[in-house]
Amino acid sequence: MKTICFYFQIHQPFRLKRYRFFDIGVDHYYYDDFNNENIIHRIAERSYIPANRVLLEMIQNSGGKFKVAFSITGMALEQLEVYVPEVIDGLKELAKTGCVEFLAETYAHSLASLSDPEEFIRQVKSHVNKIETLFGQKPKVFRNTELIYSDEIGDLVASMGYDTMITEGAKHVLGWKSPNFLYHSVNNKNLKLLLKNSKLSDDIAFRFSNYEWDQYPLTADKFISWIANYPENEQLINLFMNYETLGEMQRKETGIFEFMKALPRFAEEKRISFSTPTEVSKKMKPVAPYAVPYPISWTDEERDLSAWMGNILQKEAFEKLYSIGERVHLCNDRRLQHDWLYLQSCDHFFYMCTKHFSDGAVHAHFSPYESPYEAFNNYMNVLGDFIDRVNSKFPTSIDNEELNSLLTTIHNQDKEINELKEEIKILRSKKKQPMREISSITPEQ
């Protein structure tokens, strides 16, 4: 029996304000609060709020047969909690149905898995804690930023205790094989991999309202018939996309919500079910290894890292950011830790991507900048100020290893001092005790 696994990504970065070279050393607040609030409100009204209602209706009308998974970044959750808490309420209501699964990922939607394993693990743990606090679920399945995956990243994820991960069914990796099976890591048979069916996912996410598409209009019965017509042994159809597909990328007027609501009925007619990633992992067995020696993603035709690491601007910004990582880890300044997290969002590097300007469509929709060069200059100005703040905490003349040793010594000394203070308190209390006993004796006694 075929099953459909729906997964939606929710992410919104903290966009940077216009930050000039002359602001370095003067202004340490980097974020465009006005723009961030406007964007999250707009997307919530057009997409998140009505989409939550539609999915809840689908679950209820199908008697709990429709199921779906979400991966929501910590940065998105922070903004939703502040600006549109009704979205969080809607997601909590969905969680109560038992038909919704929340996945683990990096808190900041960062590229840490490519450069800083310690930071990667730290962010995943923070994200898991956030999800558990808000929705009462501890994520069991992992998805990396933008579905980025490689054999090495798979090893890192498996070492954290995850046995299931979702990623892209990249053509240049799959070759003649189909994404409609459960696979496993080439290095670890215990790490199961769910691969995105790019063709069907993009039919909804990008081609749904395209009048020039030869399959326009896309109806629910047509879509389900395509799935039903896959070979009998291809039992798993993974449909992965951004949640903004519902109402933002594909506006309400296109009929996207009606399309979604009709899917469970036509799926039931074709005896096609819906499953969460965890259910797929438990029910199905991997058929083959999925070898990915070089990182892949779900972005652009290349399905590689070029959207974030494709030119010298992006590489310079990325290397400069993570070069300071070890010193940030040693710092206890909460404001610095806060900025470090927000500056890691992969969106900042995406805005610097020059290849998107050949067609302009993808970049123009997401970027708040007029050009990738403006994005680079703005980010590097911010990063320059941030690095100066980190360096002001610790002399640059001291290397990281020596600094770590000094901080450890200071920490141990502080701990020893606190222990001695406690001993002094105990000794003083013991010394005062006999005096209190003597003073309590009256002359008559």
Side-chain angles (χ1 to χ4, degrees), residues 113-115 117 120 149-159 185-187 191 292-295:
S113 62
L114 304 173
S115 178
F120 175 74
Y149 177 81
S150 69
D151 298 333
E152 186 177 354
I153 292 172
D155 292 342
L156 181 57
V157 171
S159 72
S185 165
V186 69
N187 293 338
L191 181 65
V292 188
Y294 303 103

Side-chain angles (χ1 to χ4, degrees), residues 119-147:
E119 174 64 17
F120 175 74
I121 293 171
R122 186 180 291 108
Q123 283 193 34
V124 173
K125 288 181 178 178
S126 295
H127 181 261
V128 167
N129 290 337
K130 186 78 171 178
I131 294 294
E132 199 168 4
T133 299
L134 285 176
F135 305 113
Q137 280 190 29
K138 185 172 183 178
K140 299 176 182 178
V141 175
F142 186 79
R143 89 119 211 177
N144 197 16
T145 302
E146 302 296 320
L147 298 192

Side-chain angles (χ1 to χ4, degrees), residues 5 30 32 35 41 111 129 159 196 199 207 216 223 243 257 263 271 299 301 322 341 357 380 402 415 417 436:
C5 180
Y30 309 135
D32 189 343
N35 195 28
H41 270 291
L111 302 175
N129 290 337
S159 72
K196 172 189 167 189
K199 194 271 179 193
R207 292 184 280 272
Y216 181 87
F223 188 77
Y243 204 29
F257 291 122
L263 286 176
R271 299 185 68 250
T299 301
E301 286 297 321
Y322 283 100
L341 199 62
F357 263 73
M380 294 305 281
E402 185 180 356
K415 184 179 178 182
I417 290 170
R436 284 199 295 270

